[in-house]
Amino acid sequence: MSGALITLEGVEGSGKTTQMMRLERWLRQQGRKVEHTREPDGTRLGVAVRRLFERPGVHPQPLVEVFLFMAARQQHVAEKIRPWLDRGRVVLCDRYADATVAYQGYARGVDPDLIRELNVRATSGVLPDLTLLFDLDPAEGLKRNRLKGRRLDRFEREAIAFHRRVRRGYLEICRAEPKRVRLIRAARPPAVVEAEVRAIVEEFLRGA
Ligand SMILES: Nc1ncnc2c1ncn2[C@@H]1O[C@H](COP(=O)(O)OP(=O)(O)O)[C@@H](O)[C@H]1O
Ligand SMILES: [Mg+2]
C-alpha cells in the first residue's frame, strides 16, 4: 500500500467538510492524486446504515450502533479506501475509526478499548496515517449548523452534554496519540484553519 489515509474528525459543525473540500482542491493543485469520502455513507451499504438510524421507531443499543458503524467501515475499506491506497492516492475521509471511539465509546459509554479492537478488525488494519482533529466548543458547532437550516440527524439532536463528552473523547484520543492526531483550534476563520491544515499536511506528506 503506497497512498496515505488522512481522516478529519471533530464535533458537529467543527468544519470537517469545509476543510476537506479546501484541502482536496489544494492537494490537486500540488499535482497530488486525491480522493475524498465520508463515513458512514462512503458506500451504498453505508448509506443504508445511515438511513436505518433515521427510521422512526429504530432505537439501536449503543453496542448495536458500534456494530452498524463497523459493518459500514469494513465495506468502505474493502470497496474504496484500500483500492485507492493501493493505487497510491491520498485519501481524505470525513470521520473514520476515531469517531466510533469518541461517539459510541466516550459519549455513549461503550468500552473505548473494545471499540479500538473492533476498529482494527473492521478496517482490516487500514488505520489513519494522519488525523486532523478540529476542536470546537460543541455549542458553537451546533449554532453554525443551525444556520444551515436543514433537518438534524440522530446525533445532532443529542443533548449538549453528549456533544461535550464527544469533544472530551476526541481530546483523549489526541492525548494518547499526539503524533498521529493533530489538534486544530477550529474557532477561527476558515482561511486561518485552512492555512494550518495545509502546513500540517505538507509536513506530513514530506515525511511520508
Ligand atoms: N471556521 C469556521 N468559522 C465559521 N463557520 C464555519 C467555519 N468552518 C465552517 N463553517 C460553517 O459552519 C457550518 C458547518 O461546517 P461543516 O464544514 O459542515 O462542519 P462539519 O462537517 O464538521 O459538521 C457550515 O455552514 C460552514 O460553512
Ligand atoms: Mg460534515
Side-chain angles (χ1 to χ4, degrees), residues 139-153:
E140 184 58 36
L142 295 172
K143 201 162 23 169
R144 286 181 183 175
N145 273 349
R146 236 174 271 128
L147 294 176
K148 286 193 294 194
R150 58 164 177 71
R151 217 176 129 260
L152 299 181
D153 73 20

Side-chain angles (χ1 to χ4, degrees), residues 12-18 38 94-95 145 148 150 156:
E12 322 291 333
S14 56
K16 300 178 294 297
T17 306
T18 303
R38 53 181 282 181
D94 189 341
R95 293 194 185 290
N145 273 349
K148 286 193 294 194
R150 58 164 177 71
E156 289 165 326

Side-chain angles (χ1 to χ4, degrees), residues 6-21:
I6 301 176
T7 61
L8 296 90
E9 300 279 1
V11 297
E12 322 291 333
S14 56
K16 300 178 294 297
T17 306
T18 303
Q19 294 298 331
M20 182 170 75
M21 303 322 285

Side-chain angles (χ1 to χ4, degrees), residues 81-187:
I81 295 176
R82 189 192 284 277
W84 280 332
L85 292 173
D86 285 342
R87 276 182 267 139
R89 300 290 197 267
V90 175
V91 179
L92 307 179
C93 189
D94 189 341
R95 293 194 185 290
Y96 193 60
D98 296 311
T100 318
V101 178
Y103 279 78
Q104 281 68 43
Y106 289 101
R108 286 242 199 275
V110 178
D111 176 7
D113 285 330
L114 170 65
I115 299 178
R116 288 190 179 94
E117 272 174 48
L118 291 171
N119 267 333
V120 173
R121 299 299 184 104
T123 60
S124 306
V126 181
L127 294 167
D129 299 296
L130 174 69
T131 297
L132 305 171
L133 171 54
F134 297 93
D135 182 53
L136 183 70
D137 177 347
E140 184 58 36
L142 295 172
K143 201 162 23 169
R144 286 181 183 175
N145 273 349
R146 236 174 271 128
L147 294 176
K148 286 193 294 194
R150 58 164 177 71
R151 217 176 129 260
L152 299 181
D153 73 20
R154 171 186 177 76
F155 296 98
E156 289 165 326
R157 287 194 303 271
E158 286 285 344
I160 191 72
F162 174 85
H163 297 286
R164 292 198 199 290
R165 291 196 297 276
V166 171
R167 182 191 197 184
R168 278 204 301 274
Y170 274 129
L171 292 174
E172 270 313 308
I173 293 168
C174 181
R175 247 194 301 277
E177 287 181 82
K179 209 168 129 42
R180 171 179 68 89
V181 184
R182 302 292 300 269
L183 188 101
I184 296 163
R185 287 181 296 110

